[in-house]
Amino acid sequence: METRAPDRFKIAILSDIHYAGAAERARGNDYEFRSIANPLLRMFVRFYRYFVWMRAPLDQAPQLDRCLREIDPVDYVVANGDYSCDSGFVGVGDPAAFQSAQECLGKLRAKFGDRIRFTMGDHELGKLTLFGGQGGMRLASWTRTKETLGLEPIWKLNLGNYLLLGVCSSLIALPANQPDTLPEEWVEWVKLREAHLAEIRAAFDALQPQQRVLLFCHDPTALPFLWREESVRQQLRQIEQTIIGHLHTRLVLWKSRLLSGIPP
């Protein structure tokens, strides 16, 4: 007997889990600002952490377990990036951050199996700290993200007339991220970006007229760079939604909208 494919799918989206395993938790919640020499800046970062961002970033791991216990049955899941707290600021090339990401991904894979797709976030690869200028993107983290954690810069999932497409925002927005990279690694990063853009062009060029795209892109900084791609612009009407992460809070989303000129 022939089974008809469903015409509706229920998809859960998780983003910015920032799971902290034991090694990251051991660094303490002051990891971000204790090395800042300027006392006024250090005080400001404490204030920012306490009132704007998150007071105890390394104590949130139980929230993932709670989510996995309480989530309703779904057909597919998309995790939209940032699986560790990146407390070493260089991505999963840092052993503690790698342990956190591996534990986080393991929990998600154990729960959802082959029904989950993973988008790369900026903290998998490393990110320069907002205050203090520590860390940044590292090729060692890129290698470990792909080869050991099993995350790819691009993923695709066809569901009826929909294409779910995940891309790597850090590579797409590489020109904006150049200060985060090491000079000796820049040429290799550029090659990785060009290869990724080629994959994205191919995905959009292959779209059928009836298809609609749900685009998953962790950091919205990448979106203006995607707009510069002719293949993307030509198929823009087929992008039904763009799902981002990265911004964490309504306050930061509001600020980002304001600065980018997007109306509320």
Side-chain angles (χ1 to χ4, degrees), residues 166-183:
V167 296
C168 179
S169 58
S170 294
L171 285 184
I172 297 167
L174 186 64
N177 294 330
Q178 185 170 2
D180 289 41
T181 65
L182 298 174

Side-chain angles (χ1 to χ4, degrees), residues 158-202:
N158 283 289
L159 297 178
N161 285 331
Y162 279 87
L163 172 68
L164 279 63
L165 177 65
V167 296
C168 179
S169 58
S170 294
L171 285 184
I172 297 167
L174 186 64
N177 294 330
Q178 185 170 2
D180 289 41
T181 65
L182 298 174
E184 61 270 26
E185 294 185 349
W186 176 248
V187 172
E188 186 59 31
W189 281 119
V190 171
K191 291 178 182 177
L192 291 169
R193 180 179 190 262
E194 286 305 313
H196 187 44
L197 290 176
E199 291 180 308
I200 294 171
R201 294 182 199 113

Side-chain angles (χ1 to χ4, degrees), residues 135-152:
M137 294 172 64
R138 298 293 185 266
L139 287 175
S141 293
W142 166 267
T143 301
R144 184 170 272 183
T145 297
K146 283 198 64 180
E147 296 183 1
T148 310
L149 295 180
L151 306 189
E152 292 294 335

Side-chain angles (χ1 to χ4, degrees), residues 48-61:
Y48 181 81
R49 264 291 179 192
Y50 195 84
F51 291 104
V52 178
W53 206 241
M54 185 176 288
R55 299 176 187 180
L58 302 182
D59 295 343
Q60 306 306 312

Side-chain angles (χ1 to χ4, degrees), residues 5-33:
D7 56 4
R8 288 179 177 271
F9 298 89
K10 189 172 184 181
I11 301 169
I13 302 170
L14 300 82
S15 190
D16 297 86
I17 299 169
H18 289 292
Y19 184 92
E24 286 206 281
R25 291 197 302 272
R27 287 173 169 162
N29 282 308
D30 61 346
Y31 74 92
E32 191 174 29
F33 51 78

Side-chain angles (χ1 to χ4, degrees), residues 16-18 80-84 119 121-124 218 246 248:
D16 297 86
I17 299 169
H18 289 292
N80 209 26
D82 283 3
Y83 306 106
S84 79
T119 307
D122 52 329
H123 284 288
E124 276 67 78
H218 175 77
H246 190 65
H248 287 224

